[in-house]
Amino acid sequence: MSTFRIGLVLPDVMGTYGDGGNALVLRQRLRMRGYDAEIVEITLSDPVPDSLDIYTLGGAEDSAQRLATRHLQRYPGLQRAAAKGAPVLAICAAIQVLGQWYETSVGERVDGVGLIDVTTSPQAERAIGEVTTAPLLDGLTAALTGFENHRGGTKLGGEAHGLARVTRGVGNGVGDGLEGVVQGSVIGTYMHGPALARNPELADLLLTRALGVTELAPLDLPEVDQLRRERLRA
Ligand code: GLN
């Protein structure tokens, strides 16, 4: 196949806690299996292409989040790619940006991109700390682990499903016990970490979908297993 292209969307405004690392993890897991893979950075100076194989978006503070929202509305390449089935991984603020609307921490309501059926409002307390969950998505079996830091609580509408059930931490934070969101080809999560470094099964699920294969050769990476053991114990 030709070079596999990973879109790192707006790393200039979205990418707290090393979320850009998710693109590195995807590229590395592909290269270790002999695929030719590259990261395409899409900044606020670029239109958003709809031709990439997979897209990742990181978290952000309120003001950066607004800039990203406006850019994605102006250049709807991500929405077109998702409609064609390209996997999209949205971390934290990116869930809020891709939703119907979100309210900032000062209560201002901002129209989102409308790609997923979620809405977000600030909660009384900021959720900060380790989050551990049991996946609800077919194809995931292992516990998910991440670090969350958000004030927004995200409510899922009828079209959206939870990624996982919270066993420790807060998750979406609206009392339904859910963490993250799955809708069509979009997977959203509040897990920083970066999420894919801590959760290789999720990385490979995204890659199998993007490649249109049923499975990928397993990778023997004891240091990743070690990292998971440490984080799950923490
Ligand atoms: N500003 C958003 C919130 O606090 C997102 C934060 C983040 O991406 N870490 O809910």
Side-chain angles (χ1 to χ4, degrees):
M1 111 175 232
S2 53
T3 303
F4 185 101
R5 294 194 305 158
I6 301 156
L8 178 56
V9 182
L10 303 178
D12 42 349
V13 279
M14 301 188 79
T16 40
Y17 306 109
D19 291 330
N22 289 322
L24 294 172
V25 172
L26 292 171
R27 185 179 67 183
Q28 184 63 10
R29 294 185 77 83
L30 285 164
R31 287 184 174 172
M32 289 177 93
R33 291 165 167 130
Y35 290 92
D36 198 10
E38 66 177 29
I39 295 170
V40 178
E41 287 199 10
I42 302 146
T43 72
L44 283 178
S45 316
D46 310 309
V48 183
D50 63 10
S51 56
L52 306 183
D53 296 293
I54 195 166
Y55 295 78
T56 69
L57 301 88
E61 286 82 34
D62 285 358
S63 52
Q65 198 171 323
R66 287 181 91 122
L67 292 173
T69 309
R70 217 175 300 148
H71 194 76
L72 295 174
Q73 288 164 340
R74 179 157 174 221
Y75 299 104
L78 181 73
Q79 297 86 309
R80 284 198 300 271
K84 289 190 280 183
V88 176
L89 176 68
I91 307 296
C92 196
I95 299 180
Q96 306 175 7
V97 165
L98 296 187
Q100 307 295 347
W101 52 258
Y102 58 90
E103 280 166 352
T104 65
S105 48
V106 292
E108 241 178 304
R109 188 176 285 201
V110 180
D111 279 338
V113 169
L115 187 55
I116 49 177
D117 189 13
V118 305
T119 56
T120 301
S121 304
Q123 304 300 298
E125 276 181 47
R126 176 167 280 276
I128 308 180
E130 289 293 314
V131 58
T132 308
T133 66
L136 296 169
L137 181 62
D138 274 354
L140 294 181
T141 55
L144 294 161
T145 159
F147 173 80
E148 60 182 333
N149 183 357
H150 56 104
R151 172 98 194 274
T154 296
K155 210 165 143 190
L156 307 184
E159 304 290 308
H161 304 277
L163 170 65
R165 191 156 290 288
V166 176
T167 50
R168 176 175 54 155
V170 176
N172 293 349
V174 289
D176 57 10
L178 296 172
E179 199 297 302
V181 50
V182 178
Q183 185 177 335
S185 64
V186 180
I187 295 181
T189 175
Y190 274 103
M191 295 184 297
H192 299 284
L196 299 185
R198 289 188 182 207
N199 301 288
E201 200 181 37
L202 179 58
D204 282 354
L205 177 98
L206 289 161
L207 290 176
T208 52
R209 287 181 171 190
L211 289 161
V213 298
T214 47
E215 57 179 13
L216 286 164
L219 296 175
D220 186 22
L221 295 169
E223 55 284 1
V224 174
D225 301 336
Q226 166 83 15
L227 168 72
R228 280 183 59 76
R229 271 196 302 276
E230 281 170 14
R231 297 328 303 171
L232 287 166
R233 224 178 15 228

